[in-house]
Amino acid sequence: LELYSVREGLKKDLDGTVKAVAGMGYQCVEFYAPYWDWSEQQTKDVRKLIDDLGVKCYSTHNASSYVSKENIGKTRDRCGILGCKYVVVASTDVEGQGIDGWRKFADVLNEANEGLASAKMHSGYHNHKTEFVPIDGVRPIEVLAKNTKPTVMLQLDVGTCLEAGSDPVAWIKANPGRIRSLHLKDWSPDAGKGYTVLFGEGGADWKAIFAAAEHGGGVEYYLIEQEGSRMSELDTARECLKTYRKMRG
């Protein structure tokens, strides 16, 4: 579970919310940006918590500033404590700078990858709709893929890819071995629905997506993500996991 899905619960009771998520059967969680402000001791306490629950944290979601030269050391340390393999950047400051801005940002991801190497971690990038919307005929996500090292993970957010009118299966097949994590977020083109639909209720062809991810895409783990639904955060997370299990047999 991408823990942004239960963000309000985390704010009120981090330990209790993570325990509830583990109790549903989630095997892996991804902490998002607020983790960076934890003290070193709090980070160690969270690691003990997830260890005791039998839950892994393979990656975190990060602002681009977290992988700057002045911050990469702290990020590497905190993610190392959590047991991460990847530091995923989920935002940039290059919008409005055209394709050249995205090329420059690819360099940032490569530098971050080098800065994480000593801890046997890699950088990654998580797309939103913006990266799949062409600028002068070129999609920014293509620029990032072309100009980053193969060890930089391309974490696919399925829902935002769909919203942009792109084909997630085609994208996975175009980047073999690099889609090592996916956010299983659905999206519906129906008026007023968008991201409020639960996993399996939107327009994603999940059978084809799973097949592409597992036969060439290089997926190592999946993360269910929900921005909000007709249910409470925890009920939403529970229902999405139920559907995932039914879908996978």
Side-chain angles (χ1 to χ4, degrees):
L1 185 69
E2 158 57 54
L3 290 174
Y4 183 77
S5 307
V6 290
R7 55 196 174 278
E8 296 304 322
L10 282 185
K11 291 176 187 176
K12 298 171 184 175
D13 182 5
L14 189 152
D15 286 17
T17 301
V18 173
K19 287 177 182 177
V21 167
M24 296 174 195
Y26 280 99
Q27 300 170 313
C28 168
V29 295
E30 185 174 75
F31 289 99
Y32 70 109
Y35 88 92
W36 203 75
D37 293 321
W38 298 344
S39 67
E40 183 175 342
Q41 185 56 54
Q42 184 179 5
T43 309
K44 289 179 178 178
D45 291 343
V46 171
R47 173 61 187 273
K48 184 179 186 304
L49 172 67
I50 61 175
D51 281 351
D52 290 346
L53 293 169
V55 171
K56 301 293 185 181
C57 177
Y58 295 121
S59 56
T60 54
H61 243 211
N62 300 267
S64 58
S65 60
Y66 295 5
V67 297
S68 64
K69 291 180 180 179
E70 58 268 30
N71 289 331
I72 192 68
K74 176 181 174 180
T75 301
R76 183 176 60 237
D77 174 64
R78 295 293 190 270
C79 290
I81 291 171
L82 291 171
C84 296
K85 295 177 66 176
Y86 301 102
V87 172
V88 181
V89 179
S91 66
T92 74
D93 57 0
V94 301
E95 290 186 39
Q97 296 180 27
I99 287 299
D100 284 342
W102 290 101
R103 289 195 185 96
K104 292 175 182 176
F105 191 71
D107 292 336
V108 172
L109 293 173
N110 286 327
E111 289 172 6
N113 201 45
E114 292 175 7
L116 295 165
S118 62
K120 297 182 179 179
M121 287 187 278
H122 296 286
S123 63
Y125 190 77
H126 174 97
N127 67 269
H128 292 89
K129 178 182 177 181
T130 300
E131 290 82 6
F132 277 97
V133 176
I135 299 174
D136 298 328
V138 180
R139 297 183 299 179
I141 193 69
E142 295 175 276
V143 173
L144 292 182
K146 181 180 178 181
N147 292 282
T148 51
K149 297 178 180 179
T151 50
V152 175
M153 176 173 69
L154 300 174
Q155 185 183 69
L156 175 60
D157 183 317
V158 174
T160 58
C161 176
L162 288 172
E163 185 189 13
S166 289
D167 180 352
V169 173
W171 178 247
I172 295 168
K173 290 181 177 180
N175 294 277
R178 297 198 64 183
I179 316 296
R180 297 191 283 277
S181 173
L182 286 83
H183 274 214
L184 308 185
K185 181 166 65 182
D186 222 327
W187 181 80
S188 171
D190 295 345
K193 290 187 176 180
Y195 295 113
T196 65
V197 292
L198 298 173
F199 172 74
E201 292 181 348
D205 183 348
W206 291 111
K207 183 177 180 180
I209 290 168
F210 289 137
E214 293 165 22
H215 296 89
V219 67
E220 297 173 10
Y221 59 102
Y222 294 113
L223 293 158
I224 286 172
E225 182 187 9
Q226 196 75 24
E227 294 191 7
S229 80
R230 58 187 178 273
M231 303 178 182
S232 69
E233 288 183 338
L234 289 176
D235 284 343
T236 295
R238 185 179 294 107
E239 195 63 29
C240 287
L241 183 58
K242 284 181 182 178
T243 301
Y244 173 84
R245 285 174 165 169
K246 289 177 184 176
M247 195 179 290
R248 302 313 304 272

